[in-house]
Amino acid sequence: MEFISGIKEKETVSIYDIILGGDAVGNRETGIAMESETVRLNGAIHTIRDMSEFAFIVLRKQEGVVQCVFTEGSVSFDLKSLKEGATVEVQGVVAKEDRAPNGFEIRLTDIKVLSMPSYDTMLPIPISKWKLKTSLETKLSLRPISLRNIRERAIFKIQEGIVRGFRDFMFEQKFTEVRTPKIVAGNAEGGANVFKLEYFGKKAFLAQSPQFYKQTMVGVYDRVFEVAPVFRAEKHNTTRHLNEYTSMDFEMGYIDGFEDIMEMEQSMLDHTFKFLEKEYSKELQILGVKLPDVSKIPTVRFDEAKQLVSEKYDRKIKNPYDLEPEEEILIGKYFSEECGSDFVFVTHYPSKKRPFYAMDDPTDSKFTLSFDLLFKGMEITTGGQRIHNYDEQVAKMVERGMDPEDFTDYLMIHKYGMPPHGGLGIGLERLTMRLLDEQNVRETTLFPRDVSRLEP
Amino acid sequence: MEFISGIKEKETVSIYDIILGGDAVGNRETGIAMESETVRLNGAIHTIRDMSEFAFIVLRKQEGVVQCVFTEGSVSFDLKSLKEGATVEVQGVVAKEDRAPNGFEIRLTDIKVLSMPSYDTMLPIPISKWKLKTSLETKLSLRPISLRNIRERAIFKIQEGIVRGFRDFMFEQKFTEVRTPKIVAGNAEGGANVFKLEYFGKKAFLAQSPQFYKQTMVGVYDRVFEVAPVFRAEKHNTTRHLNEYTSMDFEMGYIDGFEDIMEMEQSMLDHTFKFLEKEYSKELQILGVKLPDVSKIPTVRFDEAKQLVSEKYDRKIKNPYDLEPEEEILIGKYFSEECGSDFVFVTHYPSKKRPFYAMDDPTDSKFTLSFDLLFKGMEITTGGQRIHNYDEQVAKMVERGMDPEDFTDYLMIHKYGMPPHGGLGIGLERLTMRLLDEQNVRETTLFPRDVSRLEP
């Protein structure tokens, strides 16, 4: 009988192995641990530069690129048979070379082809260039290839890091990770922007948010979080809207007020940016990202923010109950100028602008105990305290012309007891976009979905 | 200007605080660190047991339950005004009590009600009972409440732990976490079991798997994984099918063969079960789970497995190219009896039973370089090596009557170069079900979706 037991060690090494030494026993202060050693490594041909006497073959590996030197005679291999996109396993001697990426190059003695691409002339975009100087449209249409560019792929490593930082912090704060359904019978956020679905003869929807479920799970675990896709059938094609995006949600019970939620978010961001600095410094450097200071975040009331911006930038308030994108930008600008913060919590949004589950401010029910977090003038989070009392929730539904009968399952939690609680949702792609100073949220979405884009 | 900066410390303590001492400086070998101290803690009223002279009030907190002792006169509070599901903040003195959960109780001096439920007589199910002796149907219909049962919620803590263990291992093995779209233009797995969606006048589908995208991302990061929902419009309502479930996928490049994938999975399971043992011992104990040994997993060829089972259990082979559920169970039984393993890799599935992207066995193209992993006789994983060569992939599509034109975006990766690669998908709910010896996958799904169930 045959068994699978453990991962067999490979002959091939990684860039880390070469720099740090096979088993990463320690980083020699200077130099390359495996210098002068013969190594085997694999990768994709990122680019070939033929210098007539010799050629540079740059290998693309997950952890970076490796410069290999091909000299006629040293390798019994026809260089012309190789092209970008081929994958190979090479053998060669490690040589210190300060001008090469990571400070070393491989002087080739053998090339074994693992796979060959099948195109005729050249790649549709020059992915080995440092910056892809092509339109967003082209980049997105060729996403499977354009992502192979070193800068492009660094974006989504940083995005990975944001989620890791978020989760790490959530676990540290005793939140439980949950997975809630995306096919739902009703929708929490209301409005028309919901995708409909045929579900075995019944009408179903794609979840606009995990709202009902995360509140439900607070009744079970006190504190929960989820990182998952949400779906919004928004018809406008703006630079900041997506029809499918990743929402980082948390919800927490036993709060004293919605300030607890803002504190949790500020601390989470602080933790996450420190985590990025530590674990993703390479990618931050590739993209030239400067992490913002989030050790403290200013807060301002919604009505006050409108007033401040109106005065400072000489702008008329058109609608006292709504915030235009232009106003968000100016609020961001105001707090950047006045206290050097890229972030600002805008609190006490008007009740009519918040969903039925938002808790009204007991001192003035025109406003809610809620907030948005703006990052460089763009909303990346909506959060707040929720109604936990059954009668209060039913009354607010009725007031809005909703039928509580339609929400029996949801209202079960209020009926059988919920602690005071609240939470928030963070748009991952928007947060990434702002952090990287991108101008379009599609730049920081792996495979964006919008009104006109369903592929790739 | 006001600022949010850090999480304000609360007066209330957790169960861990009481046992280990406020700042968890160290666990006293015996005894309760905060013994005799007056503490404040919050929680939900899990149950009240009135013993006439005094009463036990059991608080439910995320980390466990706490026994509080209410004595008339010690607290100026009318016990009758309290009911199960209310949330409270109590004050009392910590006393060692071996018969109480966690070895201590709280002698109450104060009760502050945070929220009150609004039901009249009693909860629809007695959630404070150790085991919910109710039908699955009732349990699922009352999910928001039934999950508050200590055993029920332990199930989904273990599920959380499985995903954490999986992710931990993936990061350790240098996999990159990706998030791929769930609204898609075409579907990888084929067949009729796909949910259709109206997408701004276009036809769209819900992703049956992240197959195309994870392969695409191997071209970018060499190794990737994703934990996300997938959707299957299966019409049969069995004990092991769901219409929405969580798939733990990984895909890896530069493999020498599909054995690399099996090795990765076996090592991942080994890591994950050790992780559970370390971090989720409380929940494993609550549910009486015995973790299986996965230090080695037997492998057997598909055709050989059928033969073995047919001989040992005197069963006729009806269809040499398909595995019936009954046969899967017997294969599980066989390897349990013959080598004491709960797991078995069944390899070399027939080509006609595998999707178009599966790589055929070069020595016999009737079979593929693929596998399923059975756990106690049930398939929890499907995996294998994929075709990386463009011409080979196009040929297999044509052979199956598919039009390669429909897959231009997907075929871009083959055209511009892919390393030899493969991967797998693991059904999280099924893995949990098998681990906990549950008989229905709905028991290990937070809010299951099936033909008749779309709520809660």
Side-chain angles (χ1 to χ4, degrees):
Chain A
M1 203 166 281
E2 281 184 68
F3 291 92
I4 294 286
S5 177
I7 297 168
K8 264 187 231 77
E9 226 180 290
K10 302 281 183 187
E11 260 193 291
T12 49
V13 298
S14 72
I15 294 178
Y16 301 120
D17 292 337
I18 292 174
I19 299 174
L20 303 171
D23 291 311
V25 275
N27 188 356
R28 291 199 209 160
E29 267 307 305
T30 53
I32 304 298
M34 295 183 105
E35 196 178 341
S36 305
E37 282 184 41
T38 296
V39 296
R40 293 189 73 81
L41 73 170
N42 57 35
I45 306 287
H46 196 50
T47 187
I48 303 171
R49 268 178 297 147
D50 201 333
M51 319 294 273
S52 84
E53 295 294 293
F54 65 96
F56 286 123
I57 300 177
V58 178
L59 288 193
R60 186 180 65 243
K61 294 176 69 64
Q62 61 173 328
E63 67 271 26
V65 293
V66 178
Q67 176 170 302
C68 301
V69 185
F70 175 96
T71 321
E72 211 75 55
S74 309
V75 197
S76 56
F77 188 88
D78 178 12
L79 193 62
K80 283 185 197 67
S81 72
L82 216 55
K83 51 183 170 177
E84 287 180 19
T87 66
V88 293
E89 186 177 309
V90 302
Q91 183 176 288
V93 180
V94 179
K96 196 161 149 50
E97 172 52 68
D98 291 336
R99 288 162 301 178
N102 300 301
F104 71 87
E105 64 185 18
I106 308 285
R107 310 238 161 104
L108 295 178
T109 54
D110 186 34
I111 298 177
K112 188 173 98 186
V113 172
L114 300 176
S115 71
M116 279 299 285
S118 81
Y119 60 92
D120 290 330
T121 51
M122 57 193 295
L123 292 181
I125 34 168
I127 57 163
S128 62
K129 287 264 186 297
W130 183 242
K131 258 192 181 174
L132 282 183
K133 281 184 189 126
T134 168
S135 70
L136 175 61
E137 195 58 26
T138 303
K139 219 157 65 173
L140 293 181
S141 295
L142 298 170
R143 210 47 154 172
I145 308 305
S146 60
L147 285 169
R148 296 179 181 183
N149 172 265
I150 301 301
R151 282 177 54 93
E152 291 298 318
R153 73 177 190 178
I155 294 172
F156 299 97
K157 283 302 282 187
I158 291 176
Q159 193 162 77
E160 169 190 76
I162 293 173
V163 177
R164 288 180 73 179
F166 174 78
R167 277 195 307 240
D168 266 19
F169 184 76
M170 290 284 102
F171 285 130
E172 193 186 294
Q173 295 293 323
K174 308 288 181 202
F175 282 72
T176 293
E177 187 174 10
V178 294
R179 263 157 287 277
T180 68
K182 303 310 157 203
I183 301 181
V184 295
N187 247 309
E189 312 305 324
N193 62 351
V194 48
F195 286 110
K196 288 180 197 69
L197 190 77
E198 190 62 29
Y199 191 85
F200 305 113
K202 272 177 282 197
K203 212 194 246 173
F205 307 97
L206 290 184
Q208 292 169 311
S209 87
Q211 188 62 34
F212 292 169
Y213 295 100
K214 63 179 182 163
Q215 284 187 257
T216 297
M217 295 312 292
V218 164
V220 177
Y221 293 123
D222 300 355
R223 294 179 162 194
V224 297
F225 77 97
E226 179 170 20
V227 181
V230 295
F231 308 90
R232 307 260 168 132
E234 301 263 11
K235 281 197 192 76
H236 23 281
N237 232 341
T238 78
T239 57
R240 55 189 205 142
H241 284 95
L242 293 164
N243 294 107
E244 175 177 350
Y245 68 90
T246 305
S247 186
M248 304 199 292
D249 281 270
F250 73 67
E251 197 79 11
M252 55 195 280
Y254 301 98
I255 58 173
D256 293 324
F258 74 103
E259 294 79 4
D260 286 3
I261 306 158
M262 295 193 288
E263 287 173 10
M264 194 60 76
E265 179 166 32
Q266 176 269 326
S267 297
M268 181 281 290
L269 288 171
D270 200 40
H271 173 96
T272 299
F273 292 164
K274 289 199 175 95
F275 180 81
L276 286 179
E277 197 161 31
K278 189 165 162 263
E279 302 288 335
Y280 292 81
S281 60
K282 196 180 65 194
E283 285 80 11
L284 293 173
Q285 206 193 327
I286 287 173
L287 296 172
V289 178
K290 215 180 141 280
L291 292 168
D293 175 20
V294 276
S295 58
K296 54 180 189 156
I297 297 178
T299 69
V300 62
R301 285 182 61 99
F302 177 90
D303 45 12
E304 204 185 318
K306 283 185 82 87
Q307 197 59 42
L308 287 172
V309 155
S310 156
E311 282 163 15
K312 179 159 181 182
Y313 304 107
D314 198 21
R315 200 176 181 285
K316 230 178 146 180
I317 294 175
K318 283 182 215 150
N319 182 346
Y321 294 110
D322 204 1
L323 216 54
E324 297 164 55
E326 173 77 0
E327 271 175 310
E328 281 188 356
I329 293 169
L330 290 177
I331 295 171
K333 192 171 157 170
Y334 182 96
F335 285 89
S336 170
E337 290 171 358
E338 299 293 320
C339 59
S341 178
D342 283 341
F343 290 89
V344 52
F345 280 115
V346 180
T347 66
H348 299 90
Y349 273 67
S351 295
K352 58 171 71 171
K353 282 285 153 188
R354 291 303 214 202
F356 66 89
Y357 52 77
M359 186 181 275
D360 289 337
D361 186 347
T363 66
D364 182 354
S365 68
K366 284 196 303 298
F367 298 96
T368 53
L369 300 177
S370 73
F371 64 92
D372 272 14
L373 178 61
L374 308 187
F375 182 12
K376 296 176 189 166
M378 183 189 289
E379 178 251 303
I380 59 157
T381 292
T382 295
Q385 183 160 359
R386 329 298 188 184
I387 298 171
H388 56 265
N389 180 276
Y390 180 79
D391 296 327
E392 200 178 320
Q393 182 59 84
V394 168
K396 192 158 177 176
M397 283 174 163
V398 171
E399 196 187 295
R400 295 202 171 195
M402 296 161 71
D403 185 355
E405 287 286 318
D406 295 343
F407 298 86
T408 313
D409 284 337
Y410 173 54
L411 287 169
M412 219 185 277
I413 62 172
H414 304 82
K415 190 167 178 181
Y416 297 108
M418 278 297 282
H421 67 284
L424 56 75
I426 303 170
L428 174 63
E429 293 83 356
R430 277 197 187 179
L431 170 54
T432 317
M433 169 193 181
R434 270 313 186 227
L435 191 66
L436 306 189
D437 277 325
E438 290 289 354
Q439 297 311 308
N440 194 315
V441 71
R442 289 161 188 76
E443 296 275 6
T444 53
T445 309
L446 209 46
F447 297 98
R449 292 294 175 255
D450 61 32
V451 173
S452 57
R453 190 170 289 282
L454 188 55
E455 296 175 275
Chain B
M1 205 168 279
E2 280 182 70
F3 292 92
I4 295 285
S5 176
I7 297 168
K8 264 186 230 78
E9 226 179 289
K10 301 280 181 187
E11 258 194 293
T12 49
V13 297
S14 73
I15 295 178
Y16 300 120
D17 293 336
I18 293 173
I19 299 173
L20 303 171
D23 292 310
V25 275
N27 188 357
R28 293 199 210 162
E29 267 306 305
T30 53
I32 303 299
M34 295 182 104
E35 196 180 340
S36 305
E37 283 184 40
T38 296
V39 297
R40 294 189 71 81
L41 73 171
N42 57 36
I45 305 289
H46 197 50
T47 187
I48 304 171
R49 270 180 294 147
D50 201 333
M51 320 293 274
S52 83
E53 295 293 293
F54 65 96
F56 287 122
I57 300 177
V58 177
L59 288 192
R60 185 180 66 245
K61 294 176 69 65
Q62 61 172 327
E63 68 271 25
V65 293
V66 178
Q67 176 171 301
C68 302
V69 185
F70 175 96
T71 321
E72 211 75 55
S74 307
V75 197
S76 56
F77 189 89
D78 179 11
L79 193 61
K80 284 185 196 68
S81 71
L82 218 55
K83 50 182 171 177
E84 288 180 18
T87 65
V88 293
E89 187 178 308
V90 302
Q91 185 177 287
V93 180
V94 179
K96 196 160 148 49
E97 172 52 68
D98 291 336
R99 290 162 299 178
N102 299 302
F104 71 86
E105 63 184 20
I106 308 286
R107 310 235 161 107
L108 295 178
T109 54
D110 186 35
I111 299 177
K112 189 172 98 185
V113 172
L114 299 175
S115 72
M116 280 299 285
S118 80
Y119 61 94
D120 289 331
T121 51
M122 58 194 296
L123 292 180
I125 34 168
I127 57 162
S128 63
K129 286 265 185 296
W130 183 242
K131 257 192 182 175
L132 281 183
K133 280 183 190 131
T134 169
S135 71
L136 175 60
E137 195 57 27
T138 302
K139 219 156 68 173
L140 293 181
S141 296
L142 298 170
R143 210 46 154 172
I145 307 305
S146 60
L147 285 169
R148 296 179 181 182
N149 173 264
I150 301 301
R151 281 175 55 92
E152 292 297 320
R153 73 177 190 178
I155 295 173
F156 299 98
K157 283 302 283 188
I158 291 175
Q159 193 161 75
E160 169 191 75
I162 293 173
V163 177
R164 287 180 73 179
F166 174 78
R167 276 194 309 240
D168 266 17
F169 184 77
M170 290 285 102
F171 286 129
E172 194 186 293
Q173 294 293 323
K174 307 287 181 205
F175 283 71
T176 294
E177 186 174 12
V178 294
R179 261 157 288 275
T180 69
K182 303 309 156 204
I183 302 181
V184 296
N187 247 308
E189 311 305 325
N193 63 350
V194 47
F195 286 110
K196 289 181 196 71
L197 189 77
E198 190 61 30
Y199 191 86
F200 305 113
K202 272 177 282 195
K203 212 196 248 173
F205 307 97
L206 290 184
Q208 292 169 310
S209 86
Q211 188 62 34
F212 292 170
Y213 295 101
K214 65 179 181 163
Q215 283 186 257
T216 297
M217 295 314 292
V218 163
V220 177
Y221 293 122
D222 299 354
R223 294 179 162 194
V224 297
F225 77 97
E226 178 170 20
V227 181
V230 295
F231 308 90
R232 307 261 168 130
E234 301 264 10
K235 280 196 192 75
H236 24 281
N237 233 340
T238 78
T239 57
R240 55 189 204 142
H241 284 95
L242 292 165
N243 294 105
E244 175 177 350
Y245 69 90
T246 305
S247 186
M248 302 198 294
D249 281 89
F250 73 67
E251 196 79 11
M252 54 195 280
Y254 301 98
I255 57 173
D256 293 324
F258 74 104
E259 294 80 4
D260 286 3
I261 305 159
M262 296 193 287
E263 287 174 9
M264 195 60 76
E265 179 166 32
Q266 176 268 325
S267 297
M268 181 281 290
L269 288 171
D270 200 39
H271 172 96
T272 298
F273 292 164
K274 289 201 175 94
F275 180 81
L276 286 179
E277 197 161 30
K278 188 163 162 266
E279 302 287 335
Y280 292 81
S281 59
K282 196 180 65 195
E283 286 79 12
L284 293 172
Q285 206 193 328
I286 286 173
L287 297 172
V289 179
K290 215 179 142 279
L291 293 168
D293 174 20
V294 276
S295 58
K296 54 180 190 156
I297 298 179
T299 69
V300 63
R301 284 182 60 100
F302 177 89
D303 45 11
E304 204 186 316
K306 283 185 83 85
Q307 197 59 41
L308 287 172
V309 155
S310 157
E311 282 163 14
K312 179 159 182 182
Y313 304 108
D314 197 22
R315 198 176 184 283
K316 230 179 145 181
I317 294 174
K318 285 183 211 147
N319 182 347
Y321 294 110
D322 204 1
L323 217 54
E324 295 164 56
E326 174 75 2
E327 270 176 310
E328 282 188 356
I329 293 169
L330 290 177
I331 295 171
K333 194 172 149 149
Y334 183 95
F335 286 89
S336 169
E337 290 170 358
E338 299 293 322
C339 58
S341 178
D342 284 340
F343 291 89
V344 53
F345 281 115
V346 180
T347 67
H348 299 88
Y349 273 67
S351 295
K352 56 171 72 170
K353 282 286 152 188
R354 291 303 214 199
F356 65 90
Y357 53 77
M359 186 181 273
D360 289 338
D361 186 348
T363 66
D364 182 353
S365 68
K366 283 196 302 299
F367 297 95
T368 54
L369 300 177
S370 73
F371 65 93
D372 272 13
L373 178 61
L374 307 187
F375 182 13
K376 296 176 188 164
M378 182 188 290
E379 177 252 303
I380 59 157
T381 292
T382 295
Q385 183 160 0
R386 330 297 188 183
I387 299 172
H388 56 264
N389 181 275
Y390 180 80
D391 295 329
E392 200 178 322
Q393 182 59 84
V394 167
K396 192 158 179 177
M397 283 174 164
V398 171
E399 196 187 296
R400 296 205 169 193
M402 296 162 71
D403 185 354
E405 287 286 319
D406 295 342
F407 297 86
T408 313
D409 284 337
Y410 174 55
L411 287 169
M412 218 185 276
I413 63 173
H414 305 82
K415 190 165 179 183
Y416 297 109
M418 278 297 283
H421 68 284
L424 57 74
I426 304 170
L428 173 63
E429 293 82 356
R430 278 197 186 178
L431 171 54
T432 318
M433 169 192 181
R434 271 314 187 223
L435 191 66
L436 306 190
D437 276 325
E438 290 289 353
Q439 297 312 307
N440 194 314
V441 70
R442 289 161 189 76
E443 297 276 5
T444 53
T445 310
L446 209 47
F447 298 98
R449 293 293 176 256
D450 63 31
V451 174
S452 57
R453 190 169 289 282
L454 188 55
E455 297 175 272

